[in-house]
Amino acid sequence: MSELTVSRLSKSFGGVRALNDVSFRLEPGELLAMIGPNGAGKSTCFNCINGQLRPDHGSVQFVGRDLVGLAPRAIWRLGVGRTFQITATFGSMTVAENVQMALISHHRRSRALWPLATRLYRDEALGLLESVSMRDQAERRCNVLAYGDLKRVELAVALAHDPRLLLMDEPTAGMAPKERIELMGLTAQIVGDKNIAVLFTEHDMDVVFANASRIIVLNRGEIVAEGTPAAVRANPLVQEVYLGAGSTYKPEARPAHA
Amino acid sequence: MKSTKNRTRLFLAMAAAVAMVGLTGTAASAAEPIRIGEINSYTTLADFTQPYKKGWEMAIEEINAAGGVIGRPLEVISRDDGGKPENAVKAAEELTTKENVDLLAGTYFSHIGVAVTNYSKQRKKLFVATEPMSDDITWAQGNDYTFRLRPNTYIQSAILAEEAAKLPAKRWAIVAPNYKFGQDAVAAFKKVMKEKRPDVEFVEEQWPALFKIDPGATVQALMQAKPDGIYSALFSRDLTAFVREAELRGLLTDDLTVVGLLTGEPEYLDPMGAEAPKNWIVTGYPWYAVTEPAHKKFIADYQAKYSDTPRMGSLIGYISIYAIKAMIEKAGSVDQDKLIAAMKDLTFDSVVGPITFRGIDHQSTLGAWVGRTAVVDGKPMMVDWRYAQGAQYFPTDEEIRQMRGAK
Amino acid sequence: MSFYFAQFLTGLASASSLFLVASGLSIIFGVTRVVNFAHGSFYMLGAFIAYSLVTSLPPGPFWFWGGVILAALTVGVVGVIMEILVLRRIYQAPELFQLVATFGVVLLLKDVALWTWGPEDKLGPRAPGFDGAIDIFGSRVPEYDLVVIVVGFVVLAGLWLLFSRTRWGALVRAATEDREMLGALGINQALLFTGVFFLGSVLAGLGGAMQLPRASVSHHMDLAIIATVFVVVVVGGMGSIVGAFLASVIISELNAFGILIFPQITLVLMFLVMAVVLVIRPWGILGRPEDETAGEEYEHQSLSWLPSRAARLAMAGVVGVLLLLPFVVQEFYLVLMTEVFILALFAASLHFIMGNGGMISFGHAAYFGLGAYGGATLLLYGDTPMLLAIALAPFVAALGAAVFGWFCVRLSGVYMAMLSLAFAQIVWSIVFQSSGITGGEDGLVGVWPAEWASERQVFYYLTLAVTLGGILALWRMLFSPFGYSLRAGRDSPRRVEAIGIGFRTHKWLAFVIAGTFAGLAGGLYGFAKGIVTPTTLDIPRSIDALMMVLLGGVQTLVGPLVGAFAFVVLEDRLLAFQYWRAIFGLIIIGICIAMPEGIVGSTRSFLTRRGLVSSGR
């Protein structure tokens, strides 16, 4: 059985079809990249999966459970981790505490009133930080970190509850090219070890082609191509709608909405 | 551990005692002043409390110039409560424990008066409530340690009800601020009216929030009920705004009887100037027309001293110090128990005639002036007035015992 | 029928004068996001200045209206002065600091007015030419009411033209809708804010001046109107002129007709309307939802809160001193310190949701008061022993907090603050007007400690023990997973949901906990004073709590306690002065400007800069 099965997902905003009959599958250990020009529907598709949006039609099956209609935090509980395009961390807390928060929630202790939060699951948190090479910055506060380091913290946070699926929305946005490759390489290595399925969107084609095991290409809310990096690279249709035609895109570009 | 503590305590107590003796030894022999701890809302209600302050300051000067009381001068240590009852309690604590006053006095707002009354009972400290009008101070919340000078809401309402009952009006409407004072005033008025005139009916009630009256809407609502008479317990800016709208909208016709509690007091009547309502039956203070020599002298002295006309508060402040003087003289000391014993059934001569602090409820028999409002030469006045002796308007002793027993 | 029409016109006149003031506040808030408490003071100043002008200028319509307009413009200048001297220095501070600073201005202006015009109410003349009443369908309607209605519509139309037809108006609208755009457009923000304050203050001044022919000018006009104006602005939608107009009409007409059916309900009615509107439409009738990312802008100034070993030792030392205090000082200082303890717990409970959860409550006194009334009621009506009454008091408060909090946590920022204020005012109104049970304004009396605790020293120790326990429990919870979850949600609502934590539920629980501890403080307070009156839950009491937290330092642990201490001592010292409000106001403004992190926070920053203490992590 597939980890994630998206079937016939559709979503409109005020008459504009943002997603039209999108279907795909994701297998354990697979890194699936979703690409497409701005406004292709990537973010909408993402948000329909993670619970931020409710699709008009279609279903999202995660290991046999339908995610449609569930709140983001319920989806998280089922074992879906996520990172944000613009990092979201707890700025007043240390790097370790950020990870500890995720662990506390994972162990359903976020309402405990007595224990000291900083002492809970500390070793586990440090272990996760070790895996993203952030162990040495564990005691720094998040609001003083460099952006690239924040992305690593997010990754550690996303891994805290042993997810089976990771949703990464533009994981390398805002980073220098060298950092991008490093981060996605790190991600690929970790998910490979743990056999986690990853769905990510990405603007940087170098990152995509270097790490993705498979690629789907969205345009105007529809899947126009799907396949291995090599197949997609060779697909003339993709070249036309996406890579060709002089379409410019910036890594920092605003999130596509419709 | 405990013994160490006790030793420390003992040591400190000793040190304090030595210091006390050292400090007081010299002064006590001569003329140690008698200290009156006074609390009022001087900054919150400056317009009503400043005349009162002038009144008691004048009395203190007179008394001390004449040699004080039992050979000692009087000293008032005054505190501002900032308009909050909790602050008044704190001030009472300070005056009692830090300033070591011999008695407490003062307060204007009813709820603050009630708070200090309650304090005086708990801490067994004599309290002479001067201005607050709440019935509770001497009745439902009455206690051994509290006495009150000013006629309370009930007495003033009863005086007005007696006048109102003489008139033909049968259909009455009520307008009163929606809080304790207004509710008490209305209850007392209704009770006495029903006793004297079983045929009257109350057809409309308007209860604007204190100092938040919507005058136009209130006047319209009263007009709608077409009453023969209106009983008003409005005061201050609520009253001013109400009168303006009532005049404009034609509520105040010649056929309508209006009875206004406190409306004749200069505090409330003067600010309205020529627009003051005419021919209302009111309680108040017609200082401009008093005839008794002692009272006239007070008014002349006051005007000379302050270049200002006296208000109701001036008189109350002035008399209250003389009441305290009479009490101390009768007691011959400032011992709490002796003071209380002396104050019970104390009769003293004030500028408005003899006043008694009744033993049964500690309420003074100071009455009220009742008359009709008029505008003479552009100035608001009370005319056709008489001084109603407070003593005649009390509920029966039985009723009072019941009320005082309730708590 | 004619009666109802007359009543409708009366309501419309009230609405119109309310709108003048409310529109000014709404514009100021829309652009600058400042909750300007001094707006009521500007209204009062307008009335006083107009009184002075109109009574000293020659009679006649020309000078009358000239005086009214001149008064409004003068108030506009006062508003500009406040903006330049005070607010401009603290726009960068947390938004509540501006509120507290404007409250300082309220106190200052109150005494300025007292000093300038004396204590007595002033009755101005009627408007020349409009001093009569005219007959409309058989009812007499004052001519001046019609003038007020016309002026209200003229101002509405004028504002509409200003905002839709002028460049300046377009800028104001742009600023209201998207603050960041201003910077992008290269607008001189300082000048725009000053201009907005001028316009808003002129409207407040005009509203006050227009009252001259209707009611006497008094020193209580400022706070009397400010609550109503807040309601109007919130119900209409902050920043919306038309919304303010609609809300003015709704509230005034409800009042005009409401008193015919429920003459005693007037106080509650307005706040009920506000609560209902906010529950159904959280951003008011015509308001726009707050920017979703607004919460992300939160300034993370908080350093490590967990006290260091040295700090813990210092705290233990303070407790030791407090334990010895009864042996060395006069009894009165025990009374004072008892009050400090209680208010410290009260402030700490507010800090629990404010500092840690980023939730602002303008109505925290409701839970303090519910605790106080709960304890007093149990004692007086149920003959409950003192300790049991104190122990049960928090549950009464918790119940209230659970109900009101359920609605409040659905909103954020100023809207949440306003809804909490509405609930507090509803409770206050009910308590104030239900004399039968609550004693009304007089309150419940005889709430004294049991015989064994009636000595001041004993009650001092009892209070110290209970409040210390409460504060330590609150602190412990701040560092528990629950407290951390709350802070996590404050830092990033998006992330906290994405790690499976239901932030809203946590906020609600925190609200209940804060209410519970406020109730505990309230329960003690009743016994400390022997009385429980409506002032334990009115607006000033809520503001007191806010001031204690902010003046002490919202991003510090001991800030609320230091704030409570400073507050009680200041109040005690200052009440001896005739113009204590002005002094207090100046101190508040001074702290806001000079110590934007509060007393503790700024001291810490100062010491850190000097290298005297380490910066934590």
Side-chain angles (χ1 to χ4, degrees), chain B residues 72-361:
Chain B
R72 293 167 64 183
L74 287 180
E75 184 189 353
V76 174
I77 301 163
S78 183
R79 291 287 179 266
D80 184 12
D81 58 35
K84 291 182 185 169
E86 292 83 3
N87 281 352
V89 171
K90 187 161 66 182
E93 285 274 44
E94 189 214 344
L95 292 166
T96 309
T97 62
K98 195 169 148 209
E99 302 293 343
N100 294 311
V101 296
D102 297 301
L103 71 148
L104 297 169
T107 73
Y108 179 92
F109 283 115
S110 280
H111 60 294
I112 295 180
V114 168
V116 180
T117 299
N118 177 48
Y119 175 87
S120 78
K121 179 184 176 194
Q122 172 73 6
R123 297 296 180 196
K124 304 188 172 22
K125 193 80 191 174
L126 175 61
F127 170 47
V128 179
T130 49
E131 289 196 282
M133 288 178 61
S134 169
D135 297 342
D136 289 354
I137 289 174
T138 42
W139 294 345
Q141 296 292 337
N143 63 62
D144 284 350
Y145 304 90
T146 301
F147 296 82
R148 191 240 311 268
L149 177 64
R150 198 174 178 192
N152 64 19
T153 313
Y154 179 90
I155 294 170
Q156 300 216 29
S157 302
I159 291 171
L160 285 173
E162 183 189 59
E163 293 295 319
K166 294 174 190 165
L167 301 166
K170 268 171 75 176
R171 290 166 54 84
W172 284 82
I174 299 279
V175 56
N178 192 13
Y179 79 117
K180 196 81 191 324
F181 165 75
Q183 292 157 355
D184 283 355
V186 170
F189 183 80
K190 280 185 174 172
K191 172 176 175 264
V192 179
M193 274 298 260
K194 286 256 164 70
E195 281 166 15
K196 299 202 183 271
R197 282 280 298 275
D199 61 323
V200 300
E201 51 176 341
F202 290 91
V203 294
E204 172 69 24
E205 297 189 1
Q206 276 300 313
W207 294 95
L210 179 64
F211 296 156
K212 288 193 179 137
I213 191 170
D214 186 345
T218 306
V219 167
Q220 286 284 134
L222 289 172
M223 287 177 81
Q224 177 75 350
K226 299 189 172 55
D228 312 326
I230 291 177
Y231 176 61
S232 152
L234 299 175
F235 58 94
S236 191
R237 50 196 156 280
D238 283 345
L239 177 65
T240 316
F242 176 80
V243 170
R244 251 195 188 177
E245 285 289 328
E247 286 281 0
L248 270 181
R249 291 176 188 259
L251 170 67
L252 302 177
T253 56
D254 289 344
D255 303 333
L256 183 80
T257 305
V258 184
V259 175
L261 186 62
L262 307 185
T263 309
E265 294 191 353
E267 279 92 333
Y268 309 123
L269 201 57
D270 289 356
M272 290 192 278
E275 290 183 35
K278 291 151 204 82
N279 219 21
W280 284 22
I281 298 167
V282 296
T283 54
Y285 180 36
W287 55 272
Y288 31 78
V290 294
T291 50
E292 304 91 332
H295 198 169
K296 279 184 89 161
K297 181 174 181 310
F298 158 71
I299 289 160
D301 290 350
Y302 186 93
Q303 284 180 291
K305 186 171 163 60
Y306 297 112
S307 314
D308 193 7
T309 56
R311 316 290 153 84
M312 189 77 226
S314 316
L315 181 70
I316 301 282
Y318 184 78
I319 296 180
S320 64
I321 297 297
Y322 275 97
I324 290 169
K325 171 176 180 269
M327 166 181 74
I328 297 170
E329 274 170 350
K330 186 175 162 196
S333 87
V334 290
D335 178 77
Q336 287 284 301
D337 295 337
K338 286 186 184 159
L339 286 177
I340 289 161
M343 196 66 158
K344 281 185 194 250
D345 292 315
L346 170 78
T347 301
F348 70 105
D349 266 322
S350 75
V351 290
V352 299
I355 294 172
T356 302
F357 280 93
R358 292 155 36 110
I360 183 175
D361 58 2

Side-chain angles (χ1 to χ4, degrees), chain C residues 21 40 117 179 302 315-316 327 467 484 486 497 530 595 607:
Chain C
V21 191
W117 286 281
R179 297 234 289 167
S302 84
M315 285 181 201
F327 300 105
T467 54
Y484 262 60
L486 209 56
E497 288 284 334
M595 300 182 141
L607 294 176

